[in-house]
Amino acid sequence: MAEETNKQESQESNAPEVQEVAGMATDSQPEPVAQQQNPEQFLKEFNWHNYEEGIDPIDDQKLEEFEKLVEENFVDTLNDEVVTGTVINITDRDAIIDINAKSEGVISLNEFRYNPDLKEGDAVEVLIDVREDATGQLILSHRKARVIKAWERVNKAHDEGLIVNGFVKCRTKGGMIVDVFGIEAFLPGSQIDVKPIRDYDAYVGKTMEFKVVKINHEFKNVVVSHKALIEADIEEQKKEIIGQLEKGQVLEGTVKNITSYGVFVDLGGVDGLVHITDLSWSRINHPNEIVELDQKLNVVILDFDEAKTRIQLGLKQLSQHPWEALDNELKVGDKVKGKVVVIADYGAFIEVAEGVEGLIHVSEMSWSTHLRSAQDFVNVGDEVEAQILTLDREDRKMSLGIKQLTPDPWTDITSKYPVGSRHSGIVRNFTNFGVFVELEEGIDGLIYISDLSWTKKIKHPSEFTNVGDTLEVVVLELDVEGRKLSLGHKQIESNPWDKYEDEFAVGTTHTAEISEIVDKGATIDFNEDITAFVPQRHLEKEDGNKLKKGESAEFQIIEFNKEFKRVVASHAAVHREEEQKIVKQAAKKAAAQNSSNTTIGDVNADLQALKDKMEGK
């Protein structure tokens, strides 16, 4: 090789100087004559160390010249050191690199795949892997040198905030992979641009400028950002734009992002928000019904904070308010048609014109006084007809009614539901004191709990019927002005206590069984309607013992009150003369009172006194 021949000639041309330095050992050796003239002196001054080590003293000046010569012609080839070498030859497989050492290094061309234009004379960075292997060959690595230098450059770029070039290799989860100095760095999707990126593939294969924003030395991770480069320019633009902002100012912007609550508009480096309520005078479910991404539109500045970092924009404000365009001849009582846009528990909002809504309260949906939810009458999207009840153009409010389009059922109530007439109705609701029954849409009546049954003692209406059941009723009272209807259910049948009044008159005797032992006495069931009470002292039998639950015996009626459905019986009166006399006296007095003008209250008082006497009070 020509280069090796030249290198050998260069080294041979320097050989005399090296030989001259080596020859200095001859000049420094003591001559034989000195050994012969003064052997003792010679032995005394002889350098036994140099003799044993085989080293002869060299003149310092000559030694310095030799070291300088070596330094100029050879590099200090330490292991793991990155140096710059020169490509002196390229073969089919390798590149021969001269780093000015004793020998050249050989590096596979695979390490230069990134540089297909490599040629002789190019300077390349190499790492000295091994100074000399077993064959004396210098082992170099360009790939390792690139990695070391790349990390040095990346660290420098991060520390000093330098701008670096990178090649976008491919997409990955959450961003892109970028080649920076031969290192694969991560570019997050949020750091590609200041606006959201929808097409990541458009950046693959491009060479772009980046800033190194983060380095994880432990895991050898590098994060770069392209967004950081343009933010500084945008910040300047933002300051300039913000400084000129005024309320009411109309600007052109580009739809940057659409969310469920509004639209972000780019005003040229400054973002503003158009809230969903400021997009259209009409109700909308989502902003994408009005705008789309990258759409250019005019917006008006509604407000901004003191720092002007939050800008509130409006779109609908650029058009006339729909209430101002509403027909001036529209008045209360007119009929309008519209679409149901919102339903709440208390009513439904009807859009009668674009941006103009009226409320139909649930009480105006039906003549029924039994209020239900608005969902029972209408659904979102329904086309309905209604009548205007109130209209306030100044406050931009309108109330509507549906029931007004049908006749008021209370208009001819006296002819349809006269007192004493019988009807069927549906149980709609309970209260503690009664049941509301709907006879027809808009006509509800109340059955008091006392008018449900002649015989049963009912504590709550749910014990007697269920919501949705059909009941036969009789109209008891009718209040047209108060729109109130009083109904009765028990009145559809005759009062069974009328016939019991004779059958269970005071003094009559009946056979029955003790049903329950209760406080202060016991109860007995004469039939399904009549349950009598037996005081404690009246349970005593002829032998002195008292009746027990399940025992059958004869009982005399000592009190019968049809109004309060109260019956009191006695077993002791059957076999005791004293009790019998008391019963007879009570019967005579009751008969006399029936034939006189004595009030029911007087009779009840006398019966109560008789009862107290019999109970020993």
Side-chain angles (χ1 to χ4, degrees):
M1 297 168 59
E3 290 79 357
E4 293 179 349
T5 304
N6 293 335
K7 189 175 187 71
Q8 184 176 0
E9 290 176 355
S10 174
Q11 292 174 352
E12 288 177 352
S13 64
N14 295 327
E17 297 183 31
V18 177
Q19 292 173 0
E20 181 180 355
V21 174
M24 292 169 57
T26 306
D27 297 337
S28 63
Q29 291 177 355
E31 299 180 357
V33 177
Q35 299 177 18
Q36 295 175 2
Q37 291 179 349
N38 193 352
E40 294 180 1
Q41 183 66 27
F42 171 76
L43 293 174
K44 183 178 180 181
E45 296 177 357
F46 187 74
N47 191 332
W48 292 99
H49 175 75
N50 290 347
Y51 174 75
E52 291 175 355
E53 296 293 332
I55 300 175
D56 294 325
I58 301 174
D59 182 65
D60 291 341
Q61 183 178 356
K62 293 291 184 180
L63 185 59
E64 290 177 1
E65 292 177 359
F66 178 75
E67 290 176 350
K68 183 177 180 181
L69 183 63
V70 172
E71 183 178 352
E72 291 176 354
N73 287 274
F74 299 102
V75 298
D76 186 10
T77 57
L78 297 177
N79 293 352
D80 298 329
E81 183 182 357
V82 177
V83 298
T84 302
T86 304
V87 179
I88 60 176
N89 191 24
I90 299 177
T91 66
D92 293 338
R93 299 176 58 185
D94 303 311
I96 311 302
I97 311 297
D98 180 18
I99 62 169
N100 205 22
K102 294 181 180 180
S103 60
E104 292 79 14
V106 179
I107 299 177
S108 173
L109 289 178
N110 288 333
E111 298 192 20
F112 296 95
R113 283 181 296 181
Y114 74 95
N115 185 10
D117 300 327
L118 184 70
K119 62 183 182 299
E120 294 182 5
D122 286 352
V124 295
E125 293 175 333
V126 296
L127 175 73
I128 301 174
D129 254 355
V130 181
R131 187 171 52 190
E132 289 185 4
D133 63 4
T135 61
Q137 179 66 49
L138 176 64
I139 306 301
L140 304 177
S141 173
H142 177 62
R143 179 180 58 81
K144 293 181 180 180
R146 285 189 69 214
V147 172
I148 293 174
K149 285 296 183 181
W151 277 102
E152 290 178 358
R153 293 168 184 166
V154 166
N155 282 307
K156 182 178 180 182
H158 177 261
D159 295 340
E160 299 180 8
L162 303 178
I163 298 175
V164 299
N165 289 325
F167 177 76
V168 181
K169 296 176 65 176
C170 62
R171 285 190 58 180
T172 187
K173 184 178 180 181
M176 318 286 285
I177 298 298
V178 179
D179 186 317
V180 178
F181 302 133
I183 296 174
E184 288 190 346
F186 177 59
L187 172 63
S190 60
Q191 296 298 316
I192 298 176
D193 205 337
V194 291
K195 58 184 179 180
I197 302 300
R198 294 183 290 276
D199 184 12
Y200 284 75
D201 293 330
Y203 292 87
V204 176
K206 287 187 176 181
T207 299
M208 302 169 61
E209 291 183 336
F210 301 96
K211 286 190 71 174
V212 180
V213 294
K214 185 178 180 181
I215 298 178
N216 189 321
H217 295 280
E218 181 179 359
F219 298 102
K220 298 295 183 182
N221 291 336
V222 178
V223 179
V224 295
S225 171
H226 178 68
K227 175 182 177 181
L229 295 178
I230 57 180
E231 281 182 333
D233 296 336
I234 291 177
E235 196 63 31
E236 292 297 325
Q237 297 176 14
K238 186 183 294 187
K239 290 180 180 179
E240 183 177 350
I241 295 173
I242 287 178
Q244 301 173 357
L245 291 181
E246 294 180 1
K247 291 182 181 180
Q249 185 178 9
V250 178
L251 299 174
E252 184 184 47
T254 305
V255 177
K256 178 179 179 181
N257 192 20
I258 299 177
T259 67
S260 60
Y261 54 85
V263 177
F264 287 94
V265 178
D266 184 359
L267 302 176
V270 179
D271 290 347
L273 173 64
V274 183
H275 194 268
I276 187 172
T277 56
D278 292 317
L279 283 171
S280 172
W281 292 113
S282 302
R283 289 180 185 263
I284 58 175
N285 296 318
H286 197 278
N288 55 21
E289 299 176 16
I290 304 296
V291 298
E292 58 185 18
L293 287 173
D294 299 326
Q295 178 182 347
K296 291 187 178 297
L297 43 79
N298 289 329
V299 291
V300 60
I301 297 177
L302 302 180
D303 200 1
F304 46 76
D305 59 10
E306 294 182 359
K308 297 184 179 180
T309 56
R310 294 183 180 179
I311 305 173
Q312 182 182 347
L313 305 175
L315 180 63
K316 71 180 184 182
Q317 287 79 5
L318 296 177
S319 60
Q320 185 182 21
H321 196 288
W323 274 87
E324 298 174 1
L326 190 65
D327 187 358
N328 291 326
E329 296 183 359
L330 205 63
K331 61 184 181 303
V332 173
D334 288 350
K335 295 179 182 180
V336 292
K337 291 183 178 180
K339 183 174 68 173
V340 179
V341 290
V342 174
I343 293 181
D345 289 337
Y346 55 85
F349 288 92
I350 312 298
E351 188 176 49
V352 298
E354 185 178 358
V356 178
E357 296 178 1
L359 171 64
I360 303 179
H361 193 270
V362 66
S363 62
E364 302 299 338
M365 292 183 174
S366 169
W367 288 108
S368 175
T369 56
H370 173 64
L371 296 183
R372 284 168 277 173
S373 175
Q375 287 90 337
D376 296 334
F377 300 96
V378 294
N379 297 309
V380 173
D382 287 353
E383 294 284 344
V384 298
E385 186 178 20
Q387 181 177 324
I388 299 177
L389 303 181
T390 63
L391 180 62
D392 188 338
R393 295 178 181 271
E394 185 176 344
D395 291 339
R396 296 170 178 172
K397 291 181 180 181
M398 180 189 302
S399 63
L400 307 173
I402 294 178
K403 71 181 185 182
Q404 287 76 11
L405 302 180
T406 58
D408 185 353
W410 281 83
T411 303
D412 55 351
I413 189 70
T414 55
S415 61
K416 288 192 298 183
Y417 301 101
V419 174
S421 59
R422 296 180 60 169
H423 308 275
S424 293
I426 299 174
V427 176
R428 291 299 185 189
N429 195 13
F430 291 146
T431 67
N432 291 330
F433 52 84
V435 179
F436 283 99
V437 177
E438 185 180 59
L439 301 181
E440 66 172 84
E441 184 74 19
I443 303 295
D444 289 352
L446 173 63
I447 304 176
Y448 283 99
I449 196 170
S450 60
D451 289 321
L452 287 173
S453 174
W454 290 112
T455 58
K456 294 182 180 179
K457 294 182 179 180
I458 303 170
K459 295 181 179 179
H460 191 273
S462 60
E463 301 173 5
F464 184 81
T465 186
N466 298 308
V467 173
D469 288 352
T470 299
L471 286 181
E472 295 291 328
V473 296
V474 175
V475 178
L476 302 180
E477 295 180 13
L478 180 59
D479 182 358
V480 178
E481 292 184 2
R483 302 174 78 93
K484 293 181 180 180
L485 196 61
S486 178
L487 306 175
H489 173 67
K490 71 181 183 181
Q491 286 79 4
I492 63 176
E493 298 177 351
S494 60
N495 188 352
W497 284 78
D498 290 340
K499 63 178 180 178
Y500 295 145
E501 187 174 14
D502 295 330
E503 182 181 351
F504 294 92
V506 174
T508 58
T509 303
H510 307 272
T511 301
E513 184 180 291
I514 299 294
S515 302
E516 293 289 340
I517 301 298
V518 297
D519 292 343
K520 299 183 180 180
T523 60
I524 52 177
D525 295 327
F526 289 123
N527 56 39
E528 62 180 6
D529 296 326
I530 303 295
T531 298
F533 172 70
V534 182
Q536 186 75 28
R537 65 186 294 267
H538 290 274
L539 289 172
E540 187 175 334
K541 296 188 290 185
E542 195 171 357
D543 59 3
N545 295 321
K546 291 187 177 182
L547 293 173
K548 297 180 180 179
K549 181 178 179 181
E551 280 192 74
S552 180
E554 287 187 343
F555 296 90
Q556 275 194 359
I557 304 301
I558 60 176
E559 180 185 347
F560 182 88
N561 189 321
K562 182 177 69 172
E563 183 180 357
F564 296 102
K565 300 178 180 62
R566 176 180 173 86
V567 179
V568 181
S570 170
H571 174 66
V574 176
H575 57 83
R576 286 184 184 176
E577 293 183 2
E578 184 179 352
E579 277 75 5
Q580 289 179 350
K581 290 179 181 180
I582 294 175
V583 171
K584 289 178 181 180
Q585 291 175 0
K588 289 179 181 180
K589 190 173 183 180
Q593 288 173 341
N594 289 335
S595 61
S596 66
N597 294 328
T598 307
T599 64
I600 295 176
D602 295 335
V603 174
N604 290 336
D606 292 339
L607 290 175
Q608 184 63 42
L610 175 61
K611 177 188 171 187
D612 292 342
K613 181 178 180 182
M614 295 175 65
E615 292 178 356
K617 294 183 179 178

